[in-house]
Amino acid sequence: MAKLLLKDGIQSLVLCEGADAKFFLIWLIDYYIRQGRANLNSVQVEDFGGIKQLTNSLGAWKNISGFSRIKSLCVVRDAETDFSGAEKSVQDSLLRNSFPVPGHAWEIKQVKDFRCAYLLFPGLRDGDGNYISGTLEDLCLHILNDAAGERKLECIGEFLVSCGDKFSLCYPRLHKTKLHEYLVMHDKYVDAKIGEAARMGAFDFESKAAKNIIDVLSNLLK
């Protein structure tokens, strides 16, 4: 494991699942800082690795020099196929490390002067207002910064069905396949990973879903 280090002036630590999520969040935060619409300069985003590594990663960060000056923590991971299961998993990791445990994703729990939250991607709700299962890629597909994005995704879907029928292909990670097909359609993003695409403007950071992330991160610093 690389040496864990808190930068000077950091008050809030965001631990997320994987490099794609890390750089997506870094560029989302940077967008709102540059717009002068969020005071998030004291936020540090780091990758905790895979889901099974979260508990140990939390413990490692908690025990590094300087962590006592951290005032808030946010864990970010995919809900995958089981939103409730993902909630329980994160809650267990927080509890094992004696952090405040929010009752639900996208809520903040404060104990004394320390605040804690966890976010589960995609952060989208169904028709009944319940958060849905899914991943960062599902969120990205939902917030494409492209007026023709929905029609392009329809064409991609038709293409994948046709290829699946003709060549007996299956797509166990359809959300990833669709997003990467969308990116390679555009010369600007052809070699880009999610974080790089975020930096280049592929996603609409003015969307409600993006603003919800910024709202939680901002409230953790209040």
Side-chain angles (χ1 to χ4, degrees), residues 54-204:
L54 176 57
T55 300
N56 289 339
S57 181
L58 285 169
W61 278 100
K62 187 175 182 180
N63 288 303
I64 69 169
S65 175
F67 190 85
S68 59
R69 59 183 164 85
I70 296 297
K71 300 300 182 183
S72 62
L73 170 73
C74 186
V75 173
V76 185
R77 57 157 282 188
D78 290 338
E80 297 290 350
T81 59
D82 182 2
F83 188 92
S84 296
E87 279 196 314
K88 292 176 182 176
S89 177
V90 177
Q91 289 169 346
D92 181 66
S93 292
L94 292 171
L95 185 62
R96 287 173 179 266
N97 285 284
S98 301
F99 284 113
V101 181
H104 299 283
W106 300 85
E107 295 180 357
I108 293 174
K109 177 70 176 290
Q110 180 169 346
V111 175
K112 296 182 180 180
D113 61 347
F114 193 91
R115 294 183 177 188
C116 190
Y118 61 91
L119 312 182
L120 298 180
F121 287 140
L124 307 174
R125 297 178 186 263
D126 62 19
D128 296 321
N130 301 310
Y131 284 108
I132 65 173
S133 300
T135 66
L136 171 61
E137 287 85 358
D138 291 305
L139 170 61
C140 291
L141 289 169
H142 183 75
I143 63 169
L144 292 175
N145 191 18
D146 185 346
E150 187 172 340
R151 284 179 290 157
K152 291 176 183 177
L153 291 179
E154 289 176 359
C155 290
I156 289 171
E158 293 169 359
F159 168 74
L160 293 176
V161 169
S162 177
C163 287
D165 291 343
K166 290 180 181 178
F167 305 109
S168 299
L169 297 174
C170 61
Y171 310 100
R173 294 176 293 277
L174 183 60
H175 52 290
K176 292 180 182 289
T177 303
K178 281 187 174 181
L179 179 59
H180 289 291
E181 285 293 336
Y182 172 84
L183 293 175
V184 300
M185 285 174 62
H186 303 81
D187 186 62
K188 182 178 180 180
Y189 311 129
V190 68
D191 294 321
K193 295 182 179 180
I194 290 176
E196 295 166 333
R199 174 177 58 84
M200 292 186 283
F203 311 118
D204 180 11

Side-chain angles (χ1 to χ4, degrees), residues 40 173 219:
L40 295 171
R173 294 176 293 277
N219 287 331

